[in-house]
């Protein structure tokens, strides 16, 4: 790399902060941006600069937003009695697309990592407690991922709510829609049997 | 996505111009940049803006550089008689790391795509011809990729040089260093047999 100009090397190093982008991908990205996509690259500069300046956290649900409240928290038609707790803003988007929850959200903006000492400062617990104190929430739906991190986060949340007067649930596990048993992995299959739903007793 | 703030959506759309980045990756990148890496994101803004302003093409070899000539073209100790033609700046870096070519380079900044009509405007042929007219080049080493695009580009170059008074060569194909025959793919193996090197006649 010693023969590359400094501005190019600097750009490559800056691109390496993106998730899953190593030195080779960063080099290829830098090449493509400068050779073929200068206009879009300028838009990327502007959009990122704008986002860094404008975006902060919603006062209530902690997701990214530009105003004091995000669109969902500001929508008075949503059911304030049910609060769904998710890992990150993308989960809110996905849930909204599924159109199955008309309550409010709380975005943890992180997960507890059991491989790194269960550090609960990774999730916005203080803000969640504060959020609950001034609310009329009755049911809390834990919608963390079904991964080691998501399970650890769900465990911490369940512990937190143990002595508090809320109904608490977690998303169900099982065969995905359209899933054929032949192709479902063994762990999911086992879970679907353990948590089988009674149809007739 | 309708519930995301505009600045966030704009950033996601801007990130999608990066190679191999789809909507999901872009969403994850935007989240990580804004949640965990704000300082580095600002450096990315600055580095990309700086690169867009500073970087243009070397007058001689067509690679990215900040001055009129790149470091290699400006280096009078390089052998001006041998010119290696490559696809992109990363190839120059790799070749320099291999430390096996002390001549000069010409960077095509593109490849001919046989699946899209062999459009030769994708490579900097005019600039190459111009470069050769004012040079004392004797041998041209075609170092394009061994892919459909690289082969097509090599073919176009070979046609171009057919009537010109240069020695022309192309990188050899064969078993990679440390390659065990058991694990080498059939195409490479066949090529290594066809292009076998005589040891004793």
């Amino acid at each position: 790399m010693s023969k590359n100009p400094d501005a190019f090397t600097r750009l490559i190093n800056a691109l390496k902060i993106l998730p899953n982008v190593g030195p080779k991908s960063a080099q290829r990205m830098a090449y493509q941006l400068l050779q073929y996509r200068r206009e879009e690259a300028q838009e990327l500069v502007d959009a990122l600069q704008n986002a860094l300046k404008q975006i902060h956290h919603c006062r209530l649900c902690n997701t990214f937003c530009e105003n004091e409240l995000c669109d969902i928290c500001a929508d008075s038609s949503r059911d304030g009695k049910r609060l769904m707790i998710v890992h990150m803003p993308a989960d809110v988007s996905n849930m909204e697309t599924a159109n199955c929850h008309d309550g409010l959200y709380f975005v943890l903006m992180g997960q507890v990592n059991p491989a790194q000492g269960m550090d609960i400062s990774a999730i916005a617990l203080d803000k969640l407690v504060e959020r609950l104190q001034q609310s009329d929430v009755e049911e809390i739906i834990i919608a963390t991922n079904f991964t080691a991190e998501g399970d650890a986060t769900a465990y911490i949340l369940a512990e937190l709510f143990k002595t508090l007067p809320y109904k608490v649930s977690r998303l169900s596990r099982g065969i995905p829609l359209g899933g054929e048993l032949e192709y479902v992995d063994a762990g999911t299959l086992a879970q679907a049997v353990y948590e089988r739903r009674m149809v007739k007793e």
Side-chain angles (χ1 to χ4, degrees), chain A:
Chain A
M1 306 286 306
S2 60
K3 297 296 178 184
N4 276 325
D6 282 346
F8 194 56
T9 310
R10 181 181 167 197
L11 174 57
I12 290 171
N13 287 331
L15 285 166
K16 281 194 289 197
I17 66 152
L18 297 171
N20 300 322
V21 174
K24 289 271 175 197
S25 310
Q27 199 168 29
R28 179 157 292 213
M29 281 179 175
Y31 167 69
Q32 296 232 350
L33 288 172
L34 292 170
Q35 181 64 13
Y36 300 117
R37 322 205 63 165
R38 283 182 165 255
E39 264 178 52
E40 294 100 324
Q42 185 59 56
E43 163 58 13
L44 176 55
V45 167
D46 299 340
L48 182 50
Q49 186 66 75
N50 178 57
L52 285 169
K53 275 199 193 126
Q54 301 294 329
I55 294 182
H56 53 261
H57 296 282
C58 171
R59 181 170 60 76
L60 281 179
C61 78
N62 200 36
T63 194
F64 291 135
C65 75
E66 287 170 272
N67 305 314
E68 195 199 348
L69 292 183
C70 72
D71 289 352
I72 296 176
C73 286
D75 180 353
S76 60
S77 74
R78 310 277 308 201
D79 179 359
K81 294 198 171 64
R82 278 176 301 111
L83 185 76
M84 180 177 284
I85 303 182
V86 299
H87 163 208
M88 58 179 182
D91 300 333
V92 175
S93 309
N94 253 356
M95 202 57 82
E96 287 298 292
T97 307
N99 206 13
C100 57
H101 173 67
D102 69 346
L104 297 173
Y105 293 93
F106 185 83
V107 183
L108 295 169
M109 286 289 180
Q111 298 183 102
V112 173
N113 190 338
Q116 287 171 15
M118 298 286 277
D119 177 14
I120 62 170
S121 71
I123 59 179
L125 275 192
D126 293 349
K127 197 162 174 180
L128 172 58
V129 171
E130 193 186 319
R131 163 78 177 83
L132 288 171
Q133 273 159 4
Q134 47 185 310
S135 77
D136 50 356
V137 169
E138 292 175 3
E139 180 180 356
I140 289 172
I141 303 163
I142 300 177
T144 57
N145 294 325
F146 287 103
T147 58
E149 290 85 1
D151 284 342
T153 307
Y155 171 80
I156 297 291
L157 291 172
E159 285 294 305
L160 172 72
F161 297 133
K162 219 172 208 171
T163 56
L164 299 176
Y166 303 113
K167 281 196 285 184
V168 179
S169 59
R170 194 175 173 198
L171 298 188
S172 67
R173 282 180 289 199
I175 315 288
L177 217 70
E180 297 187 66
L181 295 201
E182 184 181 356
Y183 299 110
V184 168
D185 69 287
T188 300
L189 208 53
Q191 209 54 251
V193 173
Y194 296 148
E195 302 186 8
R196 64 194 178 279
R197 205 165 48 92
M198 297 311 293
V199 179
K200 178 175 171 301
E201 302 214 48

